[in-house]
Amino acid sequence: DQQVKQNSPSLSVQEGRISILNCDYTNSMFDYFLWYKKYPAEGPTFLISISSIKDKNEDGRFTVFLNKSAKHLSLHIVPSQPGDSAVYFCAASADSNSGYALNFGKGTSLLVTP
Amino acid sequence: DGGITQSPKYLFRKEGQNVTLSCEQNLNHDAMYWYRQDPGQGLRLIYYSQIVNDFQKGDIAEGYSVSREKKESFPLTVTSAQKNPTAFYLCASALNEKLFFGSGTQLSVL
């Protein structure tokens, strides 16, 4: 039962434009959300996160927006660069009982073309 | 330098064989995790440990076993009961809600 959903398996964007990656979740107990970036045959690296008490968090070219009522979050990358090409995973955690074990979406493969 | 080390990078298992994947961290994190990634899939939780000598099953623990005898180490054994072991295995440790991952082990069946 997928509690975190990334409905777009892939996205292609031109260099310099905005990339918008979307994520939906079903569990209303999720209170912390993260985005990870992953290259093939490597471990995911943390990109940006947001707590459920906020609706926006910005870090350089990366901004995450959270809409709790819609159970939706999005990652904006502006401007997109070829080095941003990777698979992006959305993840969420519910409580400390599972030691912050994260629930992951299936990922969105982003391709930034020159 | 600090980090999470997984070994080996590639591992092959024969039918009926148990294999053990190593995960070591020097970040002094209490919590550690094992995830499995299949092509086109997200990461699924196998086991996690919040403290030494304690661990819990995740969503897909069947066919796997773990131990946590030291804070730094959280090895995963893929037993012969795991009928579909071919996957990319990721170990992580946590600082609060943020997980830090190793570089992964690709396990394949001969």
Side-chain angles (χ1 to χ4, degrees):
Chain A
D1 182 27
Q2 197 81 18
Q3 298 185 70
V4 177
K5 299 177 183 179
Q6 294 178 256
N7 292 320
S8 297
S10 62
L11 175 67
S12 183
V13 171
Q14 268 192 320
E15 182 178 7
R17 302 270 186 145
I18 184 171
S19 295
I20 300 177
L21 292 86
N22 294 303
C23 177
D24 298 292
Y25 61 95
T26 58
N27 189 341
S28 58
M29 298 300 291
F30 286 148
D31 58 4
Y32 197 76
F33 304 89
L34 308 90
W35 284 93
Y36 281 83
K37 177 180 180 180
K38 186 181 183 299
Y39 294 113
E42 293 185 10
T45 54
F46 171 77
L47 199 55
I48 193 169
S49 62
I50 188 167
S51 164
S52 60
I53 62 174
K54 295 186 175 182
D55 56 18
K56 177 183 175 181
N57 188 27
E58 190 172 353
D59 184 2
R61 297 186 296 115
F62 303 93
T63 302
V64 56
F65 296 91
L66 175 62
N67 183 333
K68 283 184 63 180
S69 60
K71 293 191 179 69
H72 176 83
L73 65 155
S74 61
L75 173 68
H76 292 209
I77 306 174
V78 183
S80 301
Q81 300 173 354
D84 295 330
S85 298
V87 177
Y88 289 79
F89 288 98
C90 173
S93 69
D95 54 46
S96 61
N97 286 343
S98 60
Y100 300 114
L102 297 177
N103 291 269
F104 284 86
K106 292 186 177 183
T108 296
S109 179
L110 173 66
L111 176 64
V112 180
T113 57
Chain B
D1 23 303
I4 302 171
T5 303
Q6 289 187 243
S7 61
K9 182 71 174 174
Y10 300 96
L11 186 58
F12 297 91
R13 193 191 91 166
K14 294 180 181 178
E15 289 286 337
Q17 185 183 39
N18 292 356
V19 291
T20 298
L21 284 62
S22 170
C23 179
E24 303 279 331
Q25 57 104 353
N26 60 5
L27 300 169
N28 201 35
H29 292 164
D30 286 317
M32 296 186 73
Y33 307 80
W34 275 104
Y35 285 87
R36 165 179 172 147
Q37 185 190 16
D38 294 278
Q41 300 293 319
L43 281 63
R44 292 183 291 167
L45 182 65
I46 305 172
Y47 266 99
Y48 63 97
S49 168
Q50 296 186 46
I51 200 165
V52 175
N53 292 323
D54 185 54
F55 48 83
Q56 284 79 41
K57 294 181 179 180
D59 300 321
I60 54 166
E62 186 174 350
Y64 299 97
S65 66
V66 293
S67 63
R68 187 85 187 277
E69 297 177 1
K70 299 186 299 182
K71 187 175 187 178
E72 302 79 16
S73 180
F74 191 40
L76 173 74
T77 296
V78 184
T79 74
S80 57
Q82 172 48 246
K83 298 307 178 188
N84 186 21
T86 297
F88 189 57
Y89 290 85
L90 287 158
C91 177
S93 67
L95 177 63
N96 299 322
E97 299 95 341
K98 198 177 296 181
L99 264 61
F100 297 86
F101 286 88
S103 56
T105 293
Q106 175 64 50
L107 175 63
S108 303
V109 176
L110 288 175

